[in-house]
Amino acid sequence: MLGTFQQSQIRIEIPASADAIHDSILHPVQLKKWLLGQNFPPEMPTELSPGWEFTTYTGLISIHHRVEVVKPNCLRLLLSGGIDGFHEWYWGEGWVQSRLEGVSMLPLNLGQNLSLLSLRQFLSTTKH
């Protein structure tokens, strides 16, 4: 893998319940609405579960995801391709935290910040 090792951990407040955050992260139909710039395959399940694998595209760069852990307040994805590493999500009542580590040529911290801001915007304008 070409690129540099990068790591980032961000926690933000979100005006939403833990259940609304859970649904927005674990249900692909919701995930597609706020995770901008990603093209998802059409055959996504209704909810992510351990072992599920899928590939998204950011422009021409593919990122393969393997769902490793799903809990009521946690998601861990193993990444390969455009990012070789992992992405962890944790959430609770009014907050979400994202931890991303990997080797990539992509600016991971920038993408992570934009994703969290997009999630906050989505949840603040959506009724749950």
Side-chain angles (χ1 to χ4, degrees):
M1 174 86 224
L2 294 175
T4 57
F5 176 74
Q6 303 170 57
Q7 59 185 11
S8 179
Q9 184 166 316
I10 303 169
R11 180 179 172 134
I12 64 169
E13 291 183 15
I14 293 187
S17 69
D19 288 340
I21 296 168
H22 172 276
D23 291 348
S24 297
I25 293 173
L26 292 179
H27 295 164
V29 73
Q30 297 296 322
L31 188 63
K32 292 175 185 180
K33 293 178 182 177
W34 64 265
L35 195 54
L36 307 174
Q38 299 283 314
N39 292 319
F40 288 87
E43 68 281 349
M44 295 290 286
T46 55
E47 186 168 335
L48 297 178
S49 60
W52 180 257
E53 297 187 34
F54 61 98
T55 302
T56 61
Y57 291 87
T58 302
L60 298 175
I61 299 172
S62 68
I63 302 169
H64 185 78
H65 304 71
R66 183 176 192 286
V67 179
E68 185 179 45
V69 175
V70 176
K71 295 184 180 178
N73 66 338
C74 170
L75 170 67
R76 179 181 169 96
L77 302 167
L78 296 180
L79 309 173
S80 60
I83 303 169
D84 283 334
F86 68 89
H87 194 174
E88 292 177 332
W89 294 85
Y90 297 94
W91 57 88
E93 207 62 35
W95 63 272
V96 66
Q97 180 172 309
S98 169
R99 179 177 170 211
L100 182 59
E101 290 188 12
V103 175
S104 182
M105 295 179 70
L106 299 169
L108 299 185
N109 185 265
L110 175 62
Q112 183 184 30
N113 275 298
L114 293 174
S115 294
L116 286 169
L117 292 173
S118 181
L119 175 60
R120 181 183 353 199
Q121 178 67 28
F122 172 74
L123 285 168
S124 67
T125 60
T126 305
K127 297 291 184 207
H128 293 278

